[in-house]
């Protein structure tokens, strides 16, 4: 029971990170119907930016951790958002009216570019950050096993909930959110109604990238180890999460992230750690066979 | 020769969640006739069509198809592709569904998939040049050319279907359906978007198909001039139920039909106008 | 009338503004990732600023963008059209299609003659050409041509987006390696078995994904590819785990081996002097024939009901069903046929390398093969072959080009940058020709002589 509870906590923390990345996939898919394959690597870029910014701040004497973290968060969100914007502008916008597989290929190309750019500019070796946020609470104590909730896990979950709420309000209550939803329904009609479609799509990428940067920072703080390849694995998992939850659906992305995080954690804990990804992917296949549009996705109606 | 009607729809009901799109509809379509299914928008015509051609599985009811040979099929139990391949029901679509990147000829060749596959010796035979397949392929090209000539598109045979004009695409879709050699041809608004001249030639085409090819036609149409000219038998649907069923003349004068199309009969409108002092 | 100088002058202001904005964005992009390098030290990570590099890159963006603004975007000339790539439908297209056919024949003839002629010239004149390298590179390119053609059946013809094609390549390779290790069977006995096993895997994958459309299909095939790789990586008893399987025998020449001290050696039988190149050339011809068979079968299938049904499926699945085509069988046959050729290519890969490990079957391989198909032009055999040659050949060539060091200095290691260039090239080519190098579709049957190509814009993309 204690062991189970501990795994549940770990799974939720991991799932929150996946969920934050998955939102980027789901937003972009919802609005332009493409798989932004480079998004996982945007997350990786975000965590590198966070790492460099954090060490940079420490080295110029800002050692008050909460202040440093907030500054890092802002810097990482800003700079990663610029990456997201640039990628859309350079690699996707020229192909928007074109053949549907073309942007998928440029997205895979951008993913390769980002990975190798970071590898070349920062080196291929893993980067280790000493634990920044330590401590936590012991929730329960069995004979030889303690269930603990670490501060970093609290931070991850609280940040995720706060961002999700803010984001949901943004989509649901603001004019920006309205134009975003309009573009999602019918881009042509939205344009005719005076929505600036190009700007809305750009903003989607910017928001997705900013959330990925938050996920990148949280990942860095949680695991303390990053390399240029983390984006690929995390990206595939997060995309799986988005599809699982029903691509295009925001709550679906979060739900999918949680499910993937929990499956992975529990599988590693109770079965074999080597096959945790197999478990996650098999779950995806199973869910899609029974819910072809994901768990919370709108079912596609076959119009005859 | 069987005496049963070609198509016999009995107690057909189709529900989508709480919405009853088609409610206990029964009708028959006879061999050698053109049967029209009409009704205001949202009456459930296309839903009936989709049930007959297997795109929907009806919630209740039976759809029986009897070939001239006496073979009988229960369409609601067949897979959608078997409804064409076995029961020989072909259809066209309200929004044309050709294979736009393939030529007109290729479109008609795809329609003969069933017969060509039967001679292809599990594809491997044809891959290594089976004679039987070559003969079948030649016949298929002949049938395709025959239909291209009948719809006047033989000169466009090697052009992409997506490049044809709207009217040509409509006719090509009918020809494609005919290349499956159907016993029943279901047409979903074949005259939509056609001009008067095209519409006339379509009427002639449908009449000859019905007379010469031993293919009965079931059609949905909004254009009353087309319906009244070519139909032998008209079924009127409103709100998912049949409100009239009979020859064109009878349907034309049916009060329920007029009410469904115009709201209420003219006299009632006049009465109402008089009452409010217009 | 404005003279060019004055228009340039008038455009200078906006151009400068645009270049400045671009440079600003470049600064934001690169300020941390390029401007600072993380260095591992005893105390943890320290930072090492690289302001000059950052300034150079931002400056390059500024002047590059300025130049683009002033001289490129308003230019009144365009690239001359490539002669062999048919562009538009019409009378010109039919001759272009014929030209493409002729080019295909020339390429095949060249591929057949190239090793023998090169070898003979080399020995006759003692040229010391790097034949070994040329042959190895050609074998690699041909392997990708074959993989591209195999995937083209699934993606290009049937319109089913498959991001896990490498799984079938892996199944083929491992089937051969395991069977030959356990039963000692030769390459030629294992080849059909490996192909059939891969095809069965194709059907197994096909079943669960039949109902899925578009991107859902893509992600499940991707997941499937990853599952296969993870299993190979961890099922140590059978697959050797991360260490892989080594000492896989190469293909024999009608029972003759190519080793120096082999019992039935090729050179002894024919009374030739031993030369390791014989084995390489034999491998070259095997993969060439295998690739050509793939091509032949695909072209033939396009004219058969099955292939037509694939293309019809790509164009409109609902119409297919209304014409009595069993879409389940059609999709499974496409998956199986594509997988079959992937499996053959995998066996060849194992035999050629004599060593395989899960590392060779990562997602990036699937992505490269898919990129070759899309860059080549979906459904076009010639386009796929050209794309494979350009991408793989060019990509490999980067590894060995020392001339770049002259530009970038001695510290420049091209091998490190080649994946970066590869990714950039993918993006650039796609933007340049979104429908691929050969975007037109040749009809599978015509009533009259002279093929007219169909414009790519009309051709469906399937449920991709």
């Amino acid at each position: 029971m204690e062991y189970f509870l501990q795994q549940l906590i770990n799974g939720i923390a991991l799932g929150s990170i996946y969920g934050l990345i998955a939102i980027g996939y789901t937003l972009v898919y919802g609005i332009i119907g493409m798989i932004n394959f480079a998004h996982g690597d945007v997350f990786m870029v975000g965590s590198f930016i966070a790492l460099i910014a954090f060490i940079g701040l420490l080295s110029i004497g800002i050692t008050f951790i909460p202040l440093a973290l907030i500054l890092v968060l802002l810097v990482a969100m800003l700079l990663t958002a610029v990456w997201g914007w640039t990628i859309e502008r350079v690699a996707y916008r020229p192909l928007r009216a074109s053949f549907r597989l073309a942007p998928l290929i440029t997205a895979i190309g951008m993913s390769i570019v980002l990975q190798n750019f970071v590898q070349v500019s920062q080196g291929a070796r893993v980067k280790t950050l000493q634990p920044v946020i330590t401590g936590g609470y012991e929730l329960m104590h069995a004979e030889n096993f303690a269930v603990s909730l670490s501060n970093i896990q609290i931070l991850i979950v609280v940040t995720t909930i706060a961002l999700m709420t803010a984001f949901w309000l943004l989509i649901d209550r603001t004019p920006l959110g309205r134009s975003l939803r309009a573009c999602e329904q019918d881009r042509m009609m939205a344009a005719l109604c005076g929505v600036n479609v190009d700007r809305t799509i750009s903003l989607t990428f910017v928001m997705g990238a900013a959330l990925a940067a938050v996920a990148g920072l949280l990942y860095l703080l949680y695991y303390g180890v990053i390399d240029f390849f983390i984006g690929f694995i995390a990206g595939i998992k997060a995309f799986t999460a988005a599809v699982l939850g029903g691509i295009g659906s925001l709550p679906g992305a979060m739900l999918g992230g949680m499910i993937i995080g929990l499956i992975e954690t529990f599988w590693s804990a109770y079965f074999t750690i080597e096959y945790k990804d197999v478990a996650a992917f098999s779950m995806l296949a199973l869910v899609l066979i029974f819910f072809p549009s994901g768990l919370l996705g709108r079912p596609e109606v076959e119009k005859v | 020769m069987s005496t049963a009607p070609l198509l016999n729809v009995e107690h057909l009901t189709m529900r989508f969640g709480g919405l009853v799109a088609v409610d206990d509809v029964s009708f028959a379509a006879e061999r050698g006739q053109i049967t029209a299914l009409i009704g205001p928008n949202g009456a459930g015509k296309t839903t009936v069509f989709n049930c007959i051609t297997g795109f929907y599985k009806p919630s209740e009811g039976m759809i029986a198809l009897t070939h001239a040979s006496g073979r009988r099929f229960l369409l609601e139990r067949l897979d959608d592709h078997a409804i064409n391949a076995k029961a020989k029901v072909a259809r066209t679509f309200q929004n044309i569904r050709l294979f736009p990147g393939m030529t007109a000829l290729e479109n008609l060749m795809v329609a003969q998939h069933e017969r060509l596959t039967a001679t292809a010796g599990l594809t491997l035979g044809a891959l290594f040049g089976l004679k039987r397949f070559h003969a079948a392929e030649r016949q298929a090209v002949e049938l395709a050319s025959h239909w291209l000539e009948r719809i006047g598109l033989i000169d466009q045979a090697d052009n992409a279907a997506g490049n044809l004009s709207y009217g040509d695409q409509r006719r090509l879709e009918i020809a494609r359906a005919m290349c499956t050699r159907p016993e029943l041809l279901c047409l979903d608004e074949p005259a939509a978007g056609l001009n008067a001249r095209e519409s006339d030639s379509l009427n002639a085409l449908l009449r000859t198909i019905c007379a010469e090819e031993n293919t009965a036609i079931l059609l949905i149409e909004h254009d009353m001039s087309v319906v009244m000219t070519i139909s032998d038998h008209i079924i009127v649907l409103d709100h998912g139920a049949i409100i009239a069923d009979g020859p064109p003349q009878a349907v034309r004068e049916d009060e329920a039909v007029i009410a469904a199309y115009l709201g209420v009969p003219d006299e009632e409108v006049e009465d109402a106008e008089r009452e409010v002092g217009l | 009338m404005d003279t060019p100088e004055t228009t340039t002058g008038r455009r200078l202001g906006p151009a400068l503004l645009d270049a400045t904005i671009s440079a600003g964005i470049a600064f934001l992009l690169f300020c941390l990732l390029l401007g600072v390098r993380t260095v591992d030290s005893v105390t943890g990570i320290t930072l090492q600023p690289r302001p000059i590099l950052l300034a150079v890159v931002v400056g390059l963006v500024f002047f590059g963008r300025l130049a683009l603004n002033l001289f490129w975007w308003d230019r009144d000339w365009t690239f001359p059209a490539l002669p062999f790539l048919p562009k538009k439908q019409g009378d010109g297209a039919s001759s272009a299609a014929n030209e493409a056919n002729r080019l295909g024949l020339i390429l095949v003839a060249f591929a057949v003659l190239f090793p023998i002629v090169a070898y003979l010239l080399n020995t006759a004149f003692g040229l010391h050409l790097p034949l070994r390298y040329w042959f190895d590179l050609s074998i690699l390119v041909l392997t990708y041509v074959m993989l591209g053609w195999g995937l083209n059946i699934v993606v290009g013809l049937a319109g089913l987006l498959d991001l896990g094609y490498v799984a079938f390549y892996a199944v083929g390779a491992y089937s051969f390696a395991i069977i030959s290790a356990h039963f000692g069977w030769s390459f030629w006995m294992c080849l059909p078995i490996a192909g059939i096993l891969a095809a069965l895997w194709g059907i197994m994958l096909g079943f669960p994904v039949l109902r899925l459309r578009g991107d859902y299909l893509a992600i499940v095939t991707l997941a499937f590819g990853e599952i296969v790789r993870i299993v190979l990586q961890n099922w140590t008893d059978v697959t050797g785990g991360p260490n892989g399987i080594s000492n896989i025998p190469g293909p024999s020449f009608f029972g003759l081996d190519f080793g120096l001290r082999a019992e039935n050696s090729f050179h002894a039988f024919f009374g030739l002097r031993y030369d390791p190149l014989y084995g390489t050339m034999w491998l070259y011809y095997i993969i060439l024939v295998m690739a050509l068979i793939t091509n032949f079968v695909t072209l033939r299938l396009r004219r058969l009901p099955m292939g037509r049904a694939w293309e019809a499926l790509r164009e409109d699945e609902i119409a297919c069903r209304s014409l009595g085509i069993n879409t389940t069988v059609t999709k499974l046959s496409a998956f199986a046929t594509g997988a079959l050729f992937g499996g053959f290519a995998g066996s060849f890969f194992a035999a050629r390398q004599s060593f395989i490990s899960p590392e060779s079957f990562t997602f990036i391989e699937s992505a490269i093969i898919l990129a070759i198909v899309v860059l080549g032009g979906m459904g076009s055999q010639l386009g796929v072959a050209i794309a494979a040659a350009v991408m793989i050949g060019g990509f490999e060539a980067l590894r060995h080009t020392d001339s770049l060091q002259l530009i970038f200095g001695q510290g420049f290691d091209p091998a490190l940058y080649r994946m970066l260039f590869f990714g950039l090239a993918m993006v650039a080519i796609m933007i340049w020709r979104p429908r691929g190098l050969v975007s037109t579709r040749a009809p599978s049957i015509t009533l009259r002589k002279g093929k007219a190509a169909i414009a790519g814009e009309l051709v469906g993309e399937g449920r991709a």
Side-chain angles (χ1 to χ4, degrees), chain A residues 25 33 43 50 58 69 83 85 90 99 101 129 156-157 201 257 263 272 275 278 287:
Chain A
Y25 281 110
F43 153 78
L58 289 186
L69 282 182
W83 274 99
W85 182 86
V90 170
F99 185 50
L101 270 183
L129 182 71
I156 288 174
V157 174
I201 291 175
I263 289 176
T272 49
Y275 287 104
V278 174
V287 168

PDB file of all heavy atoms in Angstrom, chain A residues 25 33 43 50 58 69 83 85 90 99 101 129 156-157 201 257 263 272 275 278 287:
ATOM      1  N   TYR A  25       1.513  19.788 -28.351  1.00  0.00           N
ATOM      2  CA  TYR A  25       1.110  18.957 -29.485  1.00  0.00           C
ATOM      3  C   TYR A  25      -0.353  19.160 -29.823  1.00  0.00           C
ATOM      4  O   TYR A  25      -0.745  19.315 -30.971  1.00  0.00           O
ATOM      5  CB  TYR A  25       1.324  17.475 -29.161  1.00  0.00           C
ATOM      6  CG  TYR A  25       2.746  17.015 -29.286  1.00  0.00           C
ATOM      7  CD1 TYR A  25       3.490  16.680 -28.170  1.00  0.00           C
ATOM      8  CD2 TYR A  25       3.343  16.893 -30.533  1.00  0.00           C
ATOM      9  CE1 TYR A  25       4.794  16.241 -28.282  1.00  0.00           C
ATOM     10  CE2 TYR A  25       4.641  16.461 -30.662  1.00  0.00           C
ATOM     11  CZ  TYR A  25       5.368  16.129 -29.528  1.00  0.00           C
ATOM     12  OH  TYR A  25       6.651  15.707 -29.656  1.00  0.00           O
ATOM     13  N   GLY A  33      -3.766  21.015 -37.628  1.00  0.00           N
ATOM     14  CA  GLY A  33      -3.857  19.615 -38.026  1.00  0.00           C
ATOM     15  C   GLY A  33      -2.546  18.979 -38.413  1.00  0.00           C
ATOM     16  O   GLY A  33      -2.510  18.109 -39.267  1.00  0.00           O
ATOM     17  N   PHE A  43      11.048  21.267 -26.212  1.00  0.00           N
ATOM     18  CA  PHE A  43      11.117  21.013 -24.765  1.00  0.00           C
ATOM     19  C   PHE A  43      12.566  20.840 -24.317  1.00  0.00           C
ATOM     20  O   PHE A  43      13.005  21.413 -23.318  1.00  0.00           O
ATOM     21  CB  PHE A  43      10.283  19.753 -24.465  1.00  0.00           C
ATOM     22  CG  PHE A  43      10.705  18.968 -23.256  1.00  0.00           C
ATOM     23  CD1 PHE A  43      10.378  19.390 -21.970  1.00  0.00           C
ATOM     24  CD2 PHE A  43      11.417  17.784 -23.404  1.00  0.00           C
ATOM     25  CE1 PHE A  43      10.767  18.651 -20.860  1.00  0.00           C
ATOM     26  CE2 PHE A  43      11.808  17.041 -22.299  1.00  0.00           C
ATOM     27  CZ  PHE A  43      11.490  17.481 -21.026  1.00  0.00           C
ATOM     28  N   ALA A  50      17.061  26.732 -19.722  1.00  0.00           N
ATOM     29  CA  ALA A  50      16.871  26.874 -18.277  1.00  0.00           C
ATOM     30  C   ALA A  50      18.165  26.563 -17.532  1.00  0.00           C
ATOM     31  O   ALA A  50      18.555  27.285 -16.604  1.00  0.00           O
ATOM     32  CB  ALA A  50      15.750  25.946 -17.819  1.00  0.00           C
ATOM     33  N   LEU A  58      23.345  32.124 -11.080  1.00  0.00           N
ATOM     34  CA  LEU A  58      24.133  31.828  -9.886  1.00  0.00           C
ATOM     35  C   LEU A  58      25.506  32.476  -9.982  1.00  0.00           C
ATOM     36  O   LEU A  58      26.018  33.037  -9.018  1.00  0.00           O
ATOM     37  CB  LEU A  58      24.299  30.303  -9.732  1.00  0.00           C
ATOM     38  CG  LEU A  58      23.052  29.504  -9.336  1.00  0.00           C
ATOM     39  CD1 LEU A  58      23.424  28.062  -9.094  1.00  0.00           C
ATOM     40  CD2 LEU A  58      22.376  30.097  -8.118  1.00  0.00           C
ATOM     41  N   LEU A  69      14.871  31.060  -9.602  1.00  0.00           N
ATOM     42  CA  LEU A  69      13.993  30.156 -10.358  1.00  0.00           C
ATOM     43  C   LEU A  69      12.941  30.920 -11.151  1.00  0.00           C
ATOM     44  O   LEU A  69      12.644  30.593 -12.293  1.00  0.00           O
ATOM     45  CB  LEU A  69      13.314  29.168  -9.414  1.00  0.00           C
ATOM     46  CG  LEU A  69      14.206  28.015  -8.958  1.00  0.00           C
ATOM     47  CD1 LEU A  69      13.431  27.061  -8.054  1.00  0.00           C
ATOM     48  CD2 LEU A  69      14.785  27.271 -10.141  1.00  0.00           C
ATOM     49  N   TRP A  83      11.971  30.349 -30.068  1.00  0.00           N
ATOM     50  CA  TRP A  83      12.275  29.166 -30.884  1.00  0.00           C
ATOM     51  C   TRP A  83      11.013  28.625 -31.533  1.00  0.00           C
ATOM     52  O   TRP A  83      10.984  28.314 -32.726  1.00  0.00           O
ATOM     53  CB  TRP A  83      12.924  28.068 -30.035  1.00  0.00           C
ATOM     54  CG  TRP A  83      14.412  28.230 -29.920  1.00  0.00           C
ATOM     55  CD1 TRP A  83      15.092  28.779 -28.889  1.00  0.00           C
ATOM     56  CD2 TRP A  83      15.392  27.843 -30.880  1.00  0.00           C
ATOM     57  NE1 TRP A  83      16.433  28.762 -29.142  1.00  0.00           N
ATOM     58  CE2 TRP A  83      16.642  28.190 -30.354  1.00  0.00           C
ATOM     59  CE3 TRP A  83      15.320  27.246 -32.138  1.00  0.00           C
ATOM     60  CZ2 TRP A  83      17.842  27.955 -31.048  1.00  0.00           C
ATOM     61  CZ3 TRP A  83      16.500  27.002 -32.821  1.00  0.00           C
ATOM     62  CH2 TRP A  83      17.743  27.365 -32.287  1.00  0.00           C
ATOM     63  N   TRP A  85       8.259  30.137 -32.211  1.00  0.00           N
ATOM     64  CA  TRP A  85       7.794  31.069 -33.237  1.00  0.00           C
ATOM     65  C   TRP A  85       8.614  30.915 -34.508  1.00  0.00           C
ATOM     66  O   TRP A  85       8.085  30.852 -35.614  1.00  0.00           O
ATOM     67  CB  TRP A  85       7.915  32.498 -32.690  1.00  0.00           C
ATOM     68  CG  TRP A  85       7.414  33.545 -33.628  1.00  0.00           C
ATOM     69  CD1 TRP A  85       6.132  33.980 -33.746  1.00  0.00           C
ATOM     70  CD2 TRP A  85       8.182  34.264 -34.591  1.00  0.00           C
ATOM     71  NE1 TRP A  85       6.053  34.932 -34.717  1.00  0.00           N
ATOM     72  CE2 TRP A  85       7.286  35.134 -35.257  1.00  0.00           C
ATOM     73  CE3 TRP A  85       9.528  34.274 -34.965  1.00  0.00           C
ATOM     74  CZ2 TRP A  85       7.698  35.980 -36.268  1.00  0.00           C
ATOM     75  CZ3 TRP A  85       9.944  35.134 -35.976  1.00  0.00           C
ATOM     76  CH2 TRP A  85       9.032  35.983 -36.607  1.00  0.00           C
ATOM     77  N   VAL A  90       9.673  29.515 -40.163  1.00  0.00           N
ATOM     78  CA  VAL A  90      10.642  29.060 -41.162  1.00  0.00           C
ATOM     79  C   VAL A  90      10.192  27.755 -41.819  1.00  0.00           C
ATOM     80  O   VAL A  90      10.243  27.614 -43.039  1.00  0.00           O
ATOM     81  CB  VAL A  90      12.031  28.869 -40.511  1.00  0.00           C
ATOM     82  CG1 VAL A  90      12.988  28.178 -41.466  1.00  0.00           C
ATOM     83  CG2 VAL A  90      12.583  30.202 -40.069  1.00  0.00           C
ATOM     84  N   PHE A  99       0.556  20.278 -49.532  1.00  0.00           N
ATOM     85  CA  PHE A  99       0.464  18.863 -49.267  1.00  0.00           C
ATOM     86  C   PHE A  99       0.664  18.553 -47.785  1.00  0.00           C
ATOM     87  O   PHE A  99       1.563  19.081 -47.152  1.00  0.00           O
ATOM     88  CB  PHE A  99       1.615  18.298 -50.084  1.00  0.00           C
ATOM     89  CG  PHE A  99       1.734  16.844 -50.125  1.00  0.00           C
ATOM     90  CD1 PHE A  99       0.641  16.088 -50.422  1.00  0.00           C
ATOM     91  CD2 PHE A  99       2.952  16.248 -49.886  1.00  0.00           C
ATOM     92  CE1 PHE A  99       0.779  14.730 -50.491  1.00  0.00           C
ATOM     93  CE2 PHE A  99       3.095  14.903 -49.961  1.00  0.00           C
ATOM     94  CZ  PHE A  99       1.996  14.150 -50.261  1.00  0.00           C
ATOM     95  N   LEU A 101       1.684  15.980 -46.018  1.00  0.00           N
ATOM     96  CA  LEU A 101       2.846  15.287 -45.464  1.00  0.00           C
ATOM     97  C   LEU A 101       4.072  16.185 -45.432  1.00  0.00           C
ATOM     98  O   LEU A 101       5.003  15.924 -44.688  1.00  0.00           O
ATOM     99  CB  LEU A 101       3.167  14.041 -46.298  1.00  0.00           C
ATOM    100  CG  LEU A 101       2.479  12.764 -45.862  1.00  0.00           C
ATOM    101  CD1 LEU A 101       2.933  11.616 -46.720  1.00  0.00           C
ATOM    102  CD2 LEU A 101       2.787  12.462 -44.408  1.00  0.00           C
ATOM    103  N   LEU A 129      22.892  18.763 -13.022  1.00  0.00           N
ATOM    104  CA  LEU A 129      22.697  19.915 -12.155  1.00  0.00           C
ATOM    105  C   LEU A 129      22.520  19.388 -10.737  1.00  0.00           C
ATOM    106  O   LEU A 129      21.734  18.479 -10.501  1.00  0.00           O
ATOM    107  CB  LEU A 129      21.448  20.696 -12.595  1.00  0.00           C
ATOM    108  CG  LEU A 129      21.146  21.968 -11.804  1.00  0.00           C
ATOM    109  CD1 LEU A 129      22.166  23.039 -12.126  1.00  0.00           C
ATOM    110  CD2 LEU A 129      19.748  22.454 -12.113  1.00  0.00           C
ATOM    111  N   ILE A 156       6.171  20.743  -8.911  1.00  0.00           N
ATOM    112  CA  ILE A 156       5.750  20.323 -10.251  1.00  0.00           C
ATOM    113  C   ILE A 156       4.230  20.325 -10.359  1.00  0.00           C
ATOM    114  O   ILE A 156       3.656  20.909 -11.281  1.00  0.00           O
ATOM    115  CB  ILE A 156       6.302  18.911 -10.567  1.00  0.00           C
ATOM    116  CG1 ILE A 156       7.801  18.977 -10.809  1.00  0.00           C
ATOM    117  CG2 ILE A 156       5.597  18.311 -11.778  1.00  0.00           C
ATOM    118  CD1 ILE A 156       8.451  17.630 -10.992  1.00  0.00           C
ATOM    119  N   VAL A 157       3.582  19.698  -9.375  1.00  0.00           N
ATOM    120  CA  VAL A 157       2.129  19.574  -9.465  1.00  0.00           C
ATOM    121  C   VAL A 157       1.464  20.943  -9.333  1.00  0.00           C
ATOM    122  O   VAL A 157       0.547  21.279 -10.101  1.00  0.00           O
ATOM    123  CB  VAL A 157       1.619  18.581  -8.404  1.00  0.00           C
ATOM    124  CG1 VAL A 157       0.099  18.570  -8.392  1.00  0.00           C
ATOM    125  CG2 VAL A 157       2.146  17.191  -8.700  1.00  0.00           C
ATOM    126  N   ILE A 201      -1.986  31.478 -35.277  1.00  0.00           N
ATOM    127  CA  ILE A 201      -1.192  30.248 -35.365  1.00  0.00           C
ATOM    128  C   ILE A 201       0.174  30.462 -34.726  1.00  0.00           C
ATOM    129  O   ILE A 201       0.668  29.622 -33.967  1.00  0.00           O
ATOM    130  CB  ILE A 201      -1.077  29.801 -36.831  1.00  0.00           C
ATOM    131  CG1 ILE A 201      -2.442  29.336 -37.329  1.00  0.00           C
ATOM    132  CG2 ILE A 201      -0.062  28.679 -36.973  1.00  0.00           C
ATOM    133  CD1 ILE A 201      -2.498  28.988 -38.774  1.00  0.00           C
ATOM    134  N   GLY A 257      -1.424  12.619 -20.358  1.00  0.00           N
ATOM    135  CA  GLY A 257      -0.117  12.734 -19.711  1.00  0.00           C
ATOM    136  C   GLY A 257      -0.087  11.970 -18.398  1.00  0.00           C
ATOM    137  O   GLY A 257       0.856  11.228 -18.105  1.00  0.00           O
ATOM    138  N   ILE A 263       1.279   4.809 -15.937  1.00  0.00           N
ATOM    139  CA  ILE A 263       1.598   3.483 -16.486  1.00  0.00           C
ATOM    140  C   ILE A 263       3.092   3.238 -16.397  1.00  0.00           C
ATOM    141  O   ILE A 263       3.558   2.187 -15.955  1.00  0.00           O
ATOM    142  CB  ILE A 263       1.158   3.391 -17.966  1.00  0.00           C
ATOM    143  CG1 ILE A 263      -0.350   3.353 -18.074  1.00  0.00           C
ATOM    144  CG2 ILE A 263       1.740   2.137 -18.625  1.00  0.00           C
ATOM    145  CD1 ILE A 263      -0.841   3.348 -19.495  1.00  0.00           C
ATOM    146  N   THR A 272       9.016  -4.703 -15.166  1.00  0.00           N
ATOM    147  CA  THR A 272      10.403  -4.476 -15.553  1.00  0.00           C
ATOM    148  C   THR A 272      10.560  -3.056 -16.053  1.00  0.00           C
ATOM    149  O   THR A 272       9.738  -2.570 -16.816  1.00  0.00           O
ATOM    150  CB  THR A 272      10.796  -5.409 -16.703  1.00  0.00           C
ATOM    151  OG1 THR A 272       9.778  -5.298 -17.690  1.00  0.00           O
ATOM    152  CG2 THR A 272      10.933  -6.825 -16.245  1.00  0.00           C
ATOM    153  N   TYR A 275      10.802  -2.521 -19.984  1.00  0.00           N
ATOM    154  CA  TYR A 275       9.650  -2.571 -20.877  1.00  0.00           C
ATOM    155  C   TYR A 275       8.616  -1.504 -20.556  1.00  0.00           C
ATOM    156  O   TYR A 275       7.476  -1.595 -20.978  1.00  0.00           O
ATOM    157  CB  TYR A 275       9.024  -3.962 -20.842  1.00  0.00           C
ATOM    158  CG  TYR A 275       9.862  -4.984 -21.564  1.00  0.00           C
ATOM    159  CD1 TYR A 275      10.640  -5.906 -20.873  1.00  0.00           C
ATOM    160  CD2 TYR A 275       9.900  -5.006 -22.955  1.00  0.00           C
ATOM    161  CE1 TYR A 275      11.421  -6.821 -21.543  1.00  0.00           C
ATOM    162  CE2 TYR A 275      10.680  -5.922 -23.635  1.00  0.00           C
ATOM    163  CZ  TYR A 275      11.439  -6.832 -22.921  1.00  0.00           C
ATOM    164  OH  TYR A 275      12.218  -7.723 -23.596  1.00  0.00           O
ATOM    165  N   VAL A 278       7.272  -0.013 -23.691  1.00  0.00           N
ATOM    166  CA  VAL A 278       6.393  -0.961 -24.388  1.00  0.00           C
ATOM    167  C   VAL A 278       5.009  -0.918 -23.764  1.00  0.00           C
ATOM    168  O   VAL A 278       3.995  -0.906 -24.469  1.00  0.00           O
ATOM    169  CB  VAL A 278       6.981  -2.386 -24.322  1.00  0.00           C
ATOM    170  CG1 VAL A 278       6.011  -3.387 -24.901  1.00  0.00           C
ATOM    171  CG2 VAL A 278       8.301  -2.438 -25.079  1.00  0.00           C
ATOM    172  N   VAL A 287      -6.035   1.526 -26.373  1.00  0.00           N
ATOM    173  CA  VAL A 287      -7.050   2.571 -26.230  1.00  0.00           C
ATOM    174  C   VAL A 287      -7.589   2.987 -27.590  1.00  0.00           C
ATOM    175  O   VAL A 287      -8.794   3.136 -27.790  1.00  0.00           O
ATOM    176  CB  VAL A 287      -6.482   3.787 -25.476  1.00  0.00           C
ATOM    177  CG1 VAL A 287      -7.418   4.974 -25.593  1.00  0.00           C
ATOM    178  CG2 VAL A 287      -6.264   3.444 -24.021  1.00  0.00           C
TER     179      VAL A 287
END
